[in-house]
Amino acid sequence: MQKRTLLTALASVPLLAACGFKLRGSVDFAFKSLYLNGNANSGFLKELQRHLEAAGSLQVLRDPSQATQAEAIFDDLGQRRERVVVSRNAAGEVRELQIRLITRFRVRDAKGALYVPDSELMQYREISYLETYALSKANEEDMLYRNMQTDIVQQIVRRLAIVKSVTPTE
């Protein structure tokens, strides 16, 4: 039985390699240190810091006195939550909502040259809505906002990873 399991595992290795499967390794960023400029209590920046530190050998700075020592500065230009009615029933009651999370940011060096110009990322989810389940829908909405924030943070980390081949623009 163990022999069969071993042979199956060995036979699957070429198949995984042929499909392009590769474990995610550490990311090499174009800069060695990054200062996160924004609200010190921001859950978004805390999550971004955790993802950046886990992604590679990048020193993430949060203390404002260290901003001048950083090779790059991430400016959090704000997040905005929106709630839009998508559909109503015949009585005019809301039946479906679209919630949106919009994040604006830029990445620059200490002299002001831009690595990533002012950018805006948006995530949205559609959610059914019934007035009788308002409390549970509010909890679901909060969970969806957290998931959208995580998606945006992962997109930002991927964008910062590809900056390595680009020289800063004026």
Side-chain angles (χ1 to χ4, degrees):
M1 189 65 162
Q2 289 179 343
K3 223 181 218 185
R4 189 178 311 167
T5 306
L6 179 64
L7 288 173
T8 304
L10 288 175
S12 65
V13 170
L15 294 174
L16 287 174
C19 74
F21 175 79
K22 183 175 96 172
L23 290 173
R24 190 181 311 168
S26 65
V27 179
D28 293 325
F29 295 99
F31 28 83
K32 300 291 181 221
S33 60
L34 177 70
Y35 173 69
L36 298 180
N37 184 21
N39 183 353
N41 296 323
S42 167
F44 167 71
L45 288 180
K46 288 178 183 177
E47 185 171 355
L48 180 60
Q49 180 178 0
R50 281 193 306 273
H51 276 79
L52 288 170
E53 289 172 344
S57 59
L58 180 66
Q59 181 185 12
V60 181
L61 308 171
R62 291 296 306 269
D63 186 11
S65 65
Q66 296 175 317
T68 57
Q69 300 167 0
E71 289 182 38
I73 299 170
F74 178 92
D75 290 320
D76 179 16
L77 303 177
Q79 285 191 315
R80 189 171 77 239
R81 290 181 173 194
E82 294 179 351
R83 202 170 183 232
V84 179
V85 175
V86 175
S87 67
R88 296 178 184 268
N89 65 9
E93 297 171 333
V94 175
R95 286 293 173 229
E96 194 171 4
L97 295 170
Q98 185 180 75
I99 58 174
R100 300 174 186 160
L101 181 63
I102 301 160
T103 302
R104 295 184 60 240
F105 69 96
R106 76 172 157 244
V107 182
R108 60 185 169 85
D109 66 6
K111 297 174 186 167
L114 296 175
Y115 285 106
V116 178
D118 289 13
S119 299
E120 183 175 276
L121 296 176
M122 182 177 81
Q123 287 279 317
Y124 66 91
R125 304 285 189 272
E126 292 186 1
I127 181 174
S128 63
Y129 186 80
L130 290 172
E131 188 65 39
T132 55
Y133 301 117
L135 184 58
S136 66
K137 288 299 178 178
N139 291 337
E140 182 181 357
E141 209 172 299
D142 288 340
M143 182 190 69
L144 289 172
Y145 275 121
R146 284 192 303 272
N147 289 343
M148 289 188 291
Q149 177 176 296
T150 299
D151 288 347
I152 288 175
V153 164
Q154 291 171 349
Q155 286 182 34
I156 290 171
V157 171
R158 287 192 297 271
R159 280 194 184 191
L160 294 177
I162 62 169
V163 167
K164 63 183 170 194
S165 62
V166 180
T167 57
T169 59
E170 297 300 325

